[in-house]
């Protein structure tokens, strides 16, 4: 895990240092959130998903192609919800279950029309859960392949370098026995550098 975080940091650093030698202002840093509905074999036990993410978009050509580097936090909520409380004696307890993952991905974004884009990312999904099984006893691997195709639209903020990407996509977590997959809606706020 530490090696992958180091690799991601080096890739982002390389992209940013390359930008320092380039006058193109189109490099973007993005931060956003997503809401999703789980699909596949685990959708009954964990039907809801969400997350936050950070993204670097680095243009590599004049025809609308950019490289993407992203990291984030993704969670799945059990069917009976999740609550975390403290009772009158100060004891903490929780009900339900929350599965937590860190996705680290690289990909390509292509502007097919003026502001309409297609993107594809691939990378790793890393399990942050203390247990290697979910509440139904199903195994959760510590690391697995994550593939994410999506389509979206960029809304610029007037004359500023800021924009908002709205997209819909699919997280395909490829692991034996079916992973934690979702269809999501994502909003990313981009800031030009």
């Amino acid at each position: 895990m530490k090696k992958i975080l180091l690799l991601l940091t080096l890739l982002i650093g390389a992209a940013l240092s390359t930008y320092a030698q380039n006058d193109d202002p189109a490099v973007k840093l993005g931060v956003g959130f997503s809401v999703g509905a789980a699909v596949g074999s685990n959708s009954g036990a964990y039907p809801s998903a969400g997350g936050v993410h950070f993204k670097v978009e680095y243009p590599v050509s004049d025809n609308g192609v950019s490289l993407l580097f992203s990291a984030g936090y993704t969670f799945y909520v059990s069917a009976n919800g999740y609550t975390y409380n403290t009772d009158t004696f100060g004891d903490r307890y929780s009900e339900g279950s929350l599965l937590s993952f860190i996705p680290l991905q690289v990909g390509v974004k292509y502007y097919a029309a003026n502001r309409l884009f297609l993107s594809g990312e691939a990378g790793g999904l890393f399990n942050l859960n203390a247990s290697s099984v979910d509440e139904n006893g199903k195994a959760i691997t510590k690391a697995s392949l994550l593939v994410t195709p999506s389509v979206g639209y960029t809304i610029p903020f007037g004359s500023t370098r800021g924009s908002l990407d709205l997209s819909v996509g699919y997280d395909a977590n490829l692991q034996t026995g079916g992973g934690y997959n979702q269809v999501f809606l994502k909003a990313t706020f981009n800031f030009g550098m």
Side-chain angles (χ1 to χ4, degrees):
M1 173 88 169
K2 290 179 183 177
K3 290 179 183 179
I4 292 176
L5 287 174
L6 176 63
L7 178 63
L8 182 65
T9 302
L10 290 174
L11 287 173
I12 290 172
L16 294 177
S17 65
T18 302
Y19 169 70
Q21 301 165 9
N22 184 352
D23 291 337
D24 185 358
V27 173
K28 298 176 190 173
L29 293 178
V31 60
F33 64 92
S34 64
V35 294
V39 294
S41 61
N42 298 316
S43 62
Y46 293 88
S48 303
V52 295
H53 61 275
F54 303 95
K55 194 170 279 195
V56 174
E57 181 179 336
Y58 183 78
V60 292
S61 75
D62 293 335
N63 63 357
V65 177
S66 297
L67 290 178
L68 299 174
F69 304 95
S70 64
Y73 169 74
T74 299
F75 60 90
Y76 290 83
V77 181
S78 62
N80 58 344
Y82 180 78
T83 57
Y84 183 81
N85 294 307
T86 304
D87 64 18
T88 55
F89 301 107
D91 295 326
R92 297 182 181 132
Y93 64 94
S94 64
E95 295 176 12
S97 180
L98 190 67
L99 297 179
S100 300
F101 300 93
I102 297 287
L104 298 174
Q105 295 180 295
V106 296
V108 175
K109 185 176 188 179
Y110 172 66
Y111 286 92
N114 187 19
R115 295 184 183 135
L116 179 69
F117 65 84
L118 305 169
S119 70
E121 295 179 79
L125 185 67
F126 301 93
N127 177 3
L128 295 179
N129 304 292
S131 174
S132 60
V133 295
D134 65 18
E135 67 180 20
N136 296 322
K138 184 168 172 112
I140 307 170
T141 58
K142 281 295 184 189
S144 61
L145 179 63
L146 180 65
V147 178
T148 307
S150 62
V151 60
Y153 191 80
T154 299
I155 302 167
F157 295 140
S159 63
T160 68
R161 290 198 206 174
S163 64
L164 172 66
D165 285 354
L166 299 176
S167 61
V168 61
Y170 179 71
D171 274 345
N173 178 1
L174 307 176
Q175 61 176 282
T176 306
Y180 290 87
N181 307 311
Q182 67 169 311
V183 173
F184 62 80
L185 297 171
K186 188 178 281 186
T188 305
F189 298 92
N190 299 305
F191 307 96
M193 296 178 52

